[in-house]
Structure formats: structure tokens, C-alpha cells
Amino acid sequence: MNQPTDNTPRVRTRFPPSPTGALHLGGARTALFNWLFARHHGGDFVLRLEDTDRKRSKQEHTDSIMAAMDWLGLDFDEGPFYQTQRLERYREAIDQMLEQGRAYWCHCSPEDLTKKREAAMKAGGKPMYDGACREKNLGPAEGAVVRFKGPRTGSTTFNDLVKGPITFEHKELDDLIILRSDGWPTYHLAVVVDDIDMAISHVIRGDDHVNNTPRQILLYQALDAAVPLFAHVPMILGPDKTKLSKRHGATAVVDYQTLGYLPEAMINALARLGWSHGDQEKFSLQELVELFGLDAVGRSAAVFDTDKLLHLNQRYIQEAEPARLAELLPPFLAERGITEYDQALLLACLPELTPRAKTLVELADWAEPFLKAEPEMSPKAVKKFLKPETSPVLERVLAMVQERGVEPEAMEAGVRELSEELGLKLGGIAQPVRVALTGRTFSPGIFEVMAILGAERVIARLKRALAIAKG
Ligand code: GLU
């Protein structure tokens, strides 16, 4: 949309999860910000799986992360790329750095390093690598690693698009391992080579990565590559202002899907984790794409509030087209054993039900008695309302429906007359009828329920209830 026409590089963002678990709220927020930024600028969004942790990376996690992104509607233009398929490229980059004297083989054993670390800490210093092999010009060997030959003096400053300028003194950074003794590259090396090859223009990620950034900038420079722009978004807290965790409720995106949240509500809530636009709370996806910018991402931690999400979800359910809800409901109905049902009936009852439901789980619960051929009868409700004394009322209503049909105005007039004739309050008629039609003591207005079900179903259900009432 707003892709610059001058020769600034094309906006390209990425989402690089490690497939070691489900997509969590923090990751989803990172993915969303990158996606929104790319879409806002008419750029590209790249998906990359950082699967070099062979023990913890699993295909099932990749699948579940991609399913969660798909549910949220976060489509990608390129990828998924897998780091495990790019080992040759990393070796090439490492060889280039070795050749140019920007990296070196280090033969220090893990035991040596531990000893040195302990000695440094005892002396009150930082446990940094002392550079013992830096100038030795060593070659590869069993157990050897490759280290980046970082600058010893000076500093690196980058202008974080959220946090402003950040400076790191080079003497604080020791010579980072870029190739491990098992032949695998480290995270820093792989991420930089990937971001170079994938022409990433903006790295938007959680601020737990701020400390990695100067190290990575030095690697870009050592590889003679352009450095992307960085934006570190604030961490996410629970309502009690501690780091968001399981204690605060579900943390995986898929859990919210199962709990009956709409993806649009989830997107809306995730977008508000750190980003704002005045005091507006509710945003459509199109609005987010139009409005999103890093300048409106705050510096302080964001709070994820499940009550707010629930409230948003309720609003999205109320505003959703019945056809859209009908598309989302099948898994929730299936949970209740409803796999075959009349789609027209579902569409007809939804407008009466949506004002009552905060989640799709609740909506499915409200819809259940409509869709089941024979709704389950609550024993309590049956005991109270379907008994021999109420069968005359049910008989009269049955006759009325058989005669007049279920048109609400006619029914209401008929039931009023009946209540006068029998000296009963309206509820004395409505409650037994409600239980007869829905098996429950709560439902939308009884005349609406009748109209939605239609005369045929109403008659069948009244007959069934009559048989119960007469014992
Ligand atoms: N795989 C890293 C993570 O999940 C990505 C870090 C980055 O964005 O550079 O934290």
C-alpha cells in the first residue's frame, strides 16, 4: 500500500519461531506486528522455522504453529524456510569469515573455559572468553569451535525504532561462538545469514533480544551486508504486572481457539499489546493494516487482560454475520454430539442467540436445543414443569399450534387468552412450553423459539413433552 517509490529497500519482515512448542501469545504478537508492518507497507512477510535445536524441534510443533497462524489469518509471502536445510549456506558464511580473518578456530576445551570463567568471577570480573586462541591461527580440530573475531574497542549504536538509540561498548562483548564443535552454527550466525539472504529490511521482535542486536550487527558488518532496522517490542505482562505465564490462564493461541474465541477478537487483543491508536479499543484487520506503525508502539510493558479479550470477543460475536458464525461453530457443536443438523435452522436461531454468548462455546450451548432432533431434557426442569398438572396447558398449546401455526403475534394472542381463561400467569404457560421445546428453563423468548423451530418441530416436541408429563 505505502511501499516507498524512492530507492529505499523494499519492506520485508520475518517471523522466525523455533518449533519447540505451540504458538504462544508473545510469539503471535510478534508475528502480527511483522505481518501488519509488511502489509501496511505493501511489503513481504517471510516465515522461517529456526529448527536447529534438534532435540526440541518437532514437526508437530511446526504444524501447530502454522495452523495457529492460519487461524489468525497471518499469511506469509515466502517460506516456510527451515534452518536445517540451510546448513551449507551457514558453512559458506563461516568459511568466508575465516578466510577474511573475521573469525578463528578456538581449541579451548569446555573444561578450560569453565576454569577461566570461575577464575574471572572470583576476581570480580565478567565471565567472558579471554580470547586465548584469537591470534593463534589455528585450524579445525576435533572438539574445536569457530569464534567471531569481534572488535575490542569502540562501540556500536543502533537506533531502535521503538526504544530509540541504544549503544553497546565492544569491550563488553566476548568473541561469540558461531560454529559449534558438533558442526552446527549457533543462533546468532544462522539468524544473521538468514536475514541477509532473505533481504529482511526490518527485524521486529521481543525486547528480550535487545542484547543480541549489537552482536548481530557486528556479524552483518563482518559479512559485508547491509544492517536491517530493528524494533524491539515491550514484553507482555499479566494483569498483576508479572511476566505473562500459565498462572494468568491459557498462553497458547490454540487454547483460545478451543475456548471459543474468534480470530478477529484475538488479533484485536494482540494488536493492542504494546501498540495503540488514541484510546480506540476495537479495530478491524483492515483498520490495523491501515493504521499500524512502529512509532505508535509504546516502550513500557504491555498487559494482557483476558477480561478485555472476553469483552471484545462478545462484541465480535454480536456483530458477526450468522453465516460466518455458522462456519466457525461445527467443531463446538460436534463437542456436543451435534454433527448433522439443519443449517437453515442454525442460521435462523443465531440472531436470537448471539446477544447471549461471549464465546463460541457458549453459543454452541445456546444452539444445542434448537439443533438436536430431541433436545436433552434437564431432569430438574422436567420435574418442576412437565408433570400431570401441566399437561392440560401443553395440550391446549399443542391444539393452538396445530390450528394456527407458530406465527409469533397469533401465538402471543392465543397464549394470552389461554392464560386468562385458565387463570394462570403468562409464565405458568411459558415455562412448561419452554421446557417442552428446549429441555431447559432458559431460552430466548418462547414465541421466538416457536417461530424458529417451525410448527412441525414444535408439535413433535410438545407431544413428546406431553408423554413425559403424563408419566
Ligand atoms: N527463533 C528466535 C526466537 O524464537 C527468533 C529470534 C529473532 O527474532 O531473531 O526467539
Side-chain angles (χ1 to χ4, degrees):
M1 177 193 307
N2 301 320
Q3 185 69 41
T5 46
D6 55 28
N7 48 14
T8 45
R10 181 175 176 80
V11 166
R12 286 173 60 85
T13 62
R14 47 40 155 208
F15 178 52
S18 303
T20 53
L23 180 63
H24 283 112
L25 296 171
R29 192 266 311 254
T30 300
L32 174 63
F33 281 18
N34 279 285
W35 183 90
L36 285 173
F37 192 75
R39 293 289 169 263
H40 177 85
H41 290 283
D44 307 309
F45 176 61
V46 178
L47 177 63
R48 175 171 83 224
L49 289 140
E50 305 206 326
D51 56 347
T52 53
D53 182 339
R54 297 317 293 146
K55 275 200 209 97
R56 292 169 60 229
S57 299
K58 299 240 159 64
Q59 186 60 43
E60 69 193 75
H61 299 315
T62 298
D63 295 344
S64 86
I65 289 169
M66 285 173 62
M69 288 179 68
D70 185 53
W71 178 68
L72 289 170
L74 303 179
D75 57 339
F76 42 90
D77 304 291
E78 284 171 36
F81 297 107
Y82 294 86
Q83 288 192 326
T84 44
Q85 292 172 5
R86 291 177 41 77
L87 289 185
E88 248 172 71
R89 253 309 278 146
Y90 306 136
R91 286 305 296 256
E92 222 173 84
I94 292 165
D95 286 344
Q96 180 191 329
M97 288 168 70
L98 281 166
E99 262 162 43
Q100 298 177 345
R102 285 163 159 164
Y104 60 93
W105 286 98
C106 167
H107 291 192
C108 295
S109 69
E111 298 78 49
D112 286 346
L113 294 173
T114 312
K115 262 188 230 146
K116 284 182 193 177
R117 239 194 322 271
E118 281 166 3
M121 292 210 305
K122 236 185 226 153
K126 274 197 175 180
M128 288 181 23
Y129 176 61
D130 62 357
C133 297
R134 198 174 148 102
E135 307 299 343
K136 285 187 186 162
N137 238 331
L138 298 167
E142 179 72 25
V145 300
V146 175
R147 287 183 185 271
F148 171 57
K149 198 173 196 173
R152 282 286 164 90
T153 55
S155 62
T156 289
T157 298
F158 68 98
N159 189 22
D160 191 285
L161 296 178
V162 171
K163 295 178 184 289
I166 297 179
T167 298
F168 280 82
E169 297 297 327
H170 294 157
K171 64 177 189 298
E172 302 290 329
L173 311 172
D174 55 0
D175 285 351
L176 188 70
I177 295 177
I178 54 177
L179 182 71
R180 290 198 301 245
S181 57
D182 60 5
W184 287 83
T186 56
Y187 154 70
H188 287 292
L189 188 278
V191 86
V192 168
V193 172
D194 286 344
D195 287 341
I196 293 170
D197 288 357
M198 295 167 198
I200 299 305
S201 65
H202 293 75
V203 171
I204 305 169
R205 58 187 176 187
D207 65 4
D208 46 331
H209 286 288
V210 167
N211 288 338
N212 294 334
T213 303
R215 292 180 176 282
Q216 292 175 4
I217 290 174
L218 294 172
L219 288 177
Y220 281 97
Q221 291 165 345
L223 289 163
D224 300 318
V227 179
L229 295 170
F230 291 91
H232 289 96
V233 298
M235 69 192 279
I236 305 175
L237 307 178
D240 60 355
K241 306 283 159 72
T242 64
K243 194 168 187 289
L244 191 69
S245 74
K246 285 235 161 66
R247 280 181 303 114
H248 298 107
T251 52
V253 169
V254 65
D255 294 337
Y256 288 90
Q257 183 178 5
T258 329
L259 289 167
Y261 287 85
L262 264 52
E264 42 271 50
M266 206 64 211
I267 286 278
N268 193 146
L270 289 171
R272 293 284 291 105
L273 290 177
W275 175 83
S276 60
H277 181 71
D279 49 17
Q280 189 173 336
E281 284 289 350
K282 194 161 169 292
F283 299 87
S284 70
L285 194 58
Q286 292 90 306
E287 267 180 298
L288 288 173
V289 169
E290 262 161 48
L291 298 171
F292 186 81
L294 294 170
D295 45 344
V297 174
R299 292 180 188 198
S300 45
V303 174
F304 179 72
D305 185 339
T306 38
D307 290 341
K308 256 193 193 166
L309 172 62
L310 189 62
H311 180 68
L312 270 174
N313 202 51
Q314 182 176 24
R315 288 179 65 187
Y316 279 99
I317 286 180
Q318 281 167 13
E319 289 166 22
E321 292 291 334
R324 161 107 177 109
L325 294 172
E327 225 170 78
L328 296 170
L329 276 169
F332 299 94
L333 295 172
E335 281 280 308
R336 302 170 168 268
I338 308 168
T339 47
E340 275 170 37
Y341 54 90
D342 181 343
Q343 180 77 1
L345 183 58
L346 175 59
L347 290 172
C349 69
L350 282 174
E352 282 297 328
L353 306 183
T354 45
R356 296 157 205 270
K358 293 199 231 21
T359 66
L360 294 172
V361 171
E362 290 180 12
L363 194 56
D365 180 50
W366 282 106
E368 177 181 324
F370 288 89
L371 302 182
K372 278 199 172 158
E374 298 209 323
E376 265 162 49
M377 306 302 267
S378 138
K380 245 181 157 175
V382 167
K383 198 163 168 227
K384 194 154 173 213
F385 294 106
L386 300 187
K387 45 192 183 184
E389 304 90 283
T390 48
S391 51
V393 171
L394 295 173
E395 257 157 10
R396 292 290 300 269
V397 176
L398 172 62
M400 208 186 302
V401 175
Q402 283 168 327
E403 202 176 297
R404 311 185 191 184
V406 287
E407 199 280 308
E409 269 172 39
M411 275 313 296
E412 195 168 346
V415 168
R416 251 178 231 294
E417 281 165 30
L418 187 62
S419 77
E420 273 164 34
E421 184 193 321
L422 301 179
L424 281 171
K425 281 193 186 143
L426 225 44
I429 297 173
Q431 271 315 68
V433 171
R434 188 186 310 279
V435 176
L437 298 181
T438 67
R440 301 175 175 182
T441 51
F442 50 90
S443 79
I446 196 65
F447 302 118
E448 284 76 30
V449 172
M450 287 185 162
I452 291 165
L453 286 171
E456 205 178 304
R457 284 193 193 86
V458 170
I459 289 168
R461 290 182 188 201
L462 285 171
K463 283 185 178 165
R464 177 176 170 234
L466 261 168
I468 297 172
K470 287 179 176 166

